[in-house]
Amino acid sequence: MNKPVRVVRVVEGTSVDGPGLRTSIYVAGCRHQCPGCHNPQTWDFMAGKDMTVDELMEIVRYNGFPVTLTGGDPIYQAEALVPLAEAIAKEGLGLWCYTGFTYEELLETADPAVEKLLNLVDVLVDGPFIAAERDTSLRFRGSTNQRLINIKKTRANKSISLFDEE
């Protein structure tokens, strides 16, 4: 049986967490607690409610949009999110994931669940929000240090390849 995902909210039909309309799943829990974060209500690991992959996939299928995992920081729930990411991939929908960790830090964790989740993600928005580097002109991220990493190209090329916004 899959572990439930602790979810603060699901936003259907949003256009701020990636290109086009998306279903964004805001998961609970974040230890980064970046000053100026626009989702501090998601920091608490007990915020929200437990949802099963089946419950989340019912919403995802209903909308038929690509999905964004955000929060909180989805990496803290990587084990629970892998089955969801696999189900999203099986539906042929794109998957973005936001994290306060850098891609390089994630590679160093040697956590098999993190590795599996990364293999299922199309774009990783990495790095903590840094208020001093805030830039409201950026698309899909809040500060200039954050990157939109095309994971499949990055893994194939063995070097960081950024998402082409065009």
Side-chain angles (χ1 to χ4, degrees):
M1 172 127 173
N2 295 333
K3 290 178 67 170
V5 178
R6 191 74 183 185
V7 176
V8 175
R9 69 181 170 176
V10 177
V11 179
E12 303 172 58
T14 183
S15 61
V16 298
D17 296 325
L21 292 177
R22 311 182 73 76
T23 298
S24 287
I25 301 171
Y26 288 75
V27 300
C30 187
R31 291 188 184 100
H32 306 291
Q33 300 186 3
C34 304
C37 172
H38 71 282
N39 290 320
Q41 70 279 9
T42 65
W43 294 352
D44 181 354
F45 285 82
M46 295 311 297
K49 65 178 183 177
D50 285 342
M51 293 184 74
T52 66
V53 169
D54 289 342
E55 289 171 323
L56 289 165
M57 283 307 298
E58 188 174 320
I59 297 167
V60 168
R61 282 188 197 102
Y62 174 78
N63 290 293
F65 301 137
V67 177
T68 298
L69 302 175
T70 189
D73 191 326
I75 297 305
Y76 291 112
Q77 292 194 57
E79 185 180 347
L81 288 168
V82 166
L84 176 63
E86 290 171 339
I88 291 165
K90 189 174 180 181
E91 291 290 320
L93 299 171
L95 181 62
W96 279 38
C97 181
Y98 282 75
T99 180
F101 294 101
T102 64
Y103 177 69
E104 293 81 1
E105 288 171 329
L106 295 178
L107 294 179
E108 292 172 6
T109 66
D111 181 332
V114 170
E115 185 67 21
K116 285 180 188 174
L117 185 59
L118 285 175
N119 284 331
L120 294 161
V121 167
D122 298 305
V123 173
L124 181 76
V125 183
D126 82 331
F129 171 74
I130 298 175
E133 295 184 34
R134 181 176 184 254
D135 183 344
T136 58
S137 71
L138 296 172
R139 292 186 71 205
F140 313 130
R141 59 200 183 278
S143 57
T144 57
N145 65 296
Q146 295 172 312
R147 302 174 292 182
L148 306 177
I149 300 173
N150 180 323
I151 292 294
K152 300 205 182 342
K153 281 187 180 178
T154 293
R155 293 201 169 234
N157 299 337
K158 298 193 182 348
S159 67
I160 298 293
S161 181
L162 299 179
F163 169 73
D164 183 359
E165 293 186 57
E166 297 305 316

